[in-house]
Amino acid sequence: MVHAALIFAPHQDDELNIAGGLMEQMILAGIKISVCFLTNGDWKGEQEKRLKEAKKVANIFGYNDIIYLGYGDGGFSKSLYYATNDDVVVFSPAGFKETYGVEDKQDFHYAKHGVHAAYTKRNVRNDIKDVIQSIKADIIFCVDADEHPDHKLLSEQFDKAISEIISNSDYHPIILKTFAYLGVFYGANDYFVRPMQQTKCMSYGRWARSDCAPYNWDDRVSFAVNSSVYPLCWRKSKLFKALKAYKTQRGVKFFPRICNADAVYWFYDTRLGDYTLSSDFPLEQTPFKYYKNIGNIKKIKNHDILKLIYEFYYDKIPGKVNSIIKKILSVIKS
């Protein structure tokens, strides 16, 4: 059975894209949740704000184990992912070249070894290994290779780390990987459609992709999300409250896209000491339920008025107002 879960996220707020739909369910099942962040989210110098936001999110769901690896947020062009080999030291856009803590939160490497780690791929991999071995969670969630290079970095080094661990020990956790963007952060804007819709294999805009390579969408593991996550009165949802807590990311406007009737993953079987993509998921070992397809739905209700109200307060209107204010200020300053 699952007693402890570990979530690997590249940035603060990605934990909600990766496992936000299942967090409440895990807490109710008595599962201890640990969230490990690869970066300090310091691309725009907002590391202190993002730490406070991450703590607030943890309080909303009811867990308190937050781990900071303390690497730099590489943005889209200066990520450590682009390092030419495992030992090249890379400066982050924020000007750092070794791990560091934020406020009262020490970086993991310093807490364990008494020194900070240089920004290298090898150190990322070793820190991931140390986190996994120190927690020994029964189930591990990790981001997969989204278009963002920091996501690719975490996915790549996690795969190498867990492969080394399971090939040299009798520890064989359940591994679930997923995309933070595809079908989630930039998924279908269908929250106000009832019955609630399953995750769709889609994205759009800057991070659009036409498939879920390297996976087959039909091979996904699809878990049912508790209905408490998606009430029509959205303010009652803990996932909504958590996204709203990430003010630096304006994540709340993506709630209608992130929140689905199911949470989608690809399962890696480690039971034989191999890191193997598999469809033979051991459902009996978890508190989760597979999402059951409800077939062709003849009657679908679109709550367009509620959608309009939501967008007015959290999405389109505030953005337009801010844009107008900025233009007025620019004219005044000139």
Side-chain angles (χ1 to χ4, degrees), residues 65-286:
D65 190 18
I66 300 175
I67 302 162
Y68 262 48
L69 295 188
Y71 291 85
D73 185 336
F76 297 95
S77 60
K78 296 184 179 180
S79 173
L80 180 56
Y81 174 72
Y82 296 119
T84 54
N85 65 58
D86 281 354
D87 297 305
V88 170
V89 178
V90 174
F91 273 88
S92 72
F96 296 97
K97 66 175 182 178
E98 61 180 23
T99 58
Y100 68 96
V102 180
E103 290 190 338
D104 61 338
K105 199 73 182 176
Q106 289 183 333
D107 62 276
F108 177 82
H109 195 94
Y110 185 84
K112 183 175 178 63
H113 301 287
V115 294
H116 301 290
Y119 284 174
T120 69
K121 286 186 174 180
R122 189 182 304 278
N123 284 337
V124 169
R125 181 163 67 252
N126 287 336
D127 283 347
I128 290 173
K129 284 174 62 177
D130 285 344
V131 170
I132 292 172
Q133 291 175 317
S134 66
I135 294 178
K136 291 258 176 104
D138 304 293
I139 187 168
I140 303 176
F141 300 85
C142 184
V143 75
D144 214 295
D146 288 310
E147 284 73 7
H148 195 300
D150 286 347
H151 293 217
K152 292 179 185 291
L153 172 66
L154 178 54
S155 177
E156 170 189 78
Q157 297 308 316
F158 172 85
D159 286 349
K160 292 180 179 181
I162 195 67
S163 296
E164 292 175 12
I165 290 172
I166 62 177
S167 64
N168 295 295
S169 71
D170 58 358
Y171 171 54
H172 306 300
I174 295 170
I175 306 293
L176 294 172
K177 297 194 74 180
T178 190
F179 298 103
Y181 294 155
L182 184 74
V184 188
F185 194 65
Y186 285 121
N189 188 12
D190 56 1
Y191 181 81
F192 294 103
V193 174
R194 290 298 188 273
M196 194 67 184
Q197 303 296 291
Q198 287 184 261
T199 304
K200 297 178 176 63
C201 182
M202 65 171 293
S203 188
Y204 75 97
R206 186 174 184 177
W207 297 285
R209 58 193 301 169
S210 59
D211 57 23
C212 61
Y215 304 116
N216 182 332
W217 186 254
D218 292 334
D219 292 336
R220 71 193 185 280
V221 178
S222 182
F223 297 123
V225 170
N226 281 3
S227 59
S228 61
V229 175
Y230 51 82
L232 271 174
C233 182
W234 60 83
R235 293 177 66 85
K236 294 181 180 180
S237 169
K238 287 187 177 180
L239 181 55
F240 168 80
K241 293 175 183 177
L243 285 163
K244 190 177 180 182
Y246 276 120
K247 293 181 179 179
T248 57
Q249 312 305 68
R250 286 205 67 212
V252 70
K253 76 173 185 176
F254 295 97
F255 174 68
R257 301 181 183 278
I258 293 171
C259 191
N260 298 297
D262 64 346
V264 169
Y265 301 94
W266 281 267
F267 166 59
Y268 283 82
D269 198 343
T270 67
R271 289 171 290 188
L272 297 178
D274 299 318
Y275 187 58
T276 308
L277 188 64
S278 174
S279 58
D280 185 24
F281 185 77
L283 185 63
E284 70 282 356
Q285 295 181 24
T286 77

Side-chain angles (χ1 to χ4, degrees), residues 1-27:
M1 293 298 293
V2 175
H3 300 288
L6 173 58
I7 301 167
F8 278 101
H11 311 104
Q12 295 71 32
D13 84 336
D14 285 319
E15 76 276 22
L16 300 179
N17 302 326
I18 296 165
L22 296 181
M23 282 185 180
E24 190 173 353
Q25 195 173 150
M26 287 192 281
I27 293 294

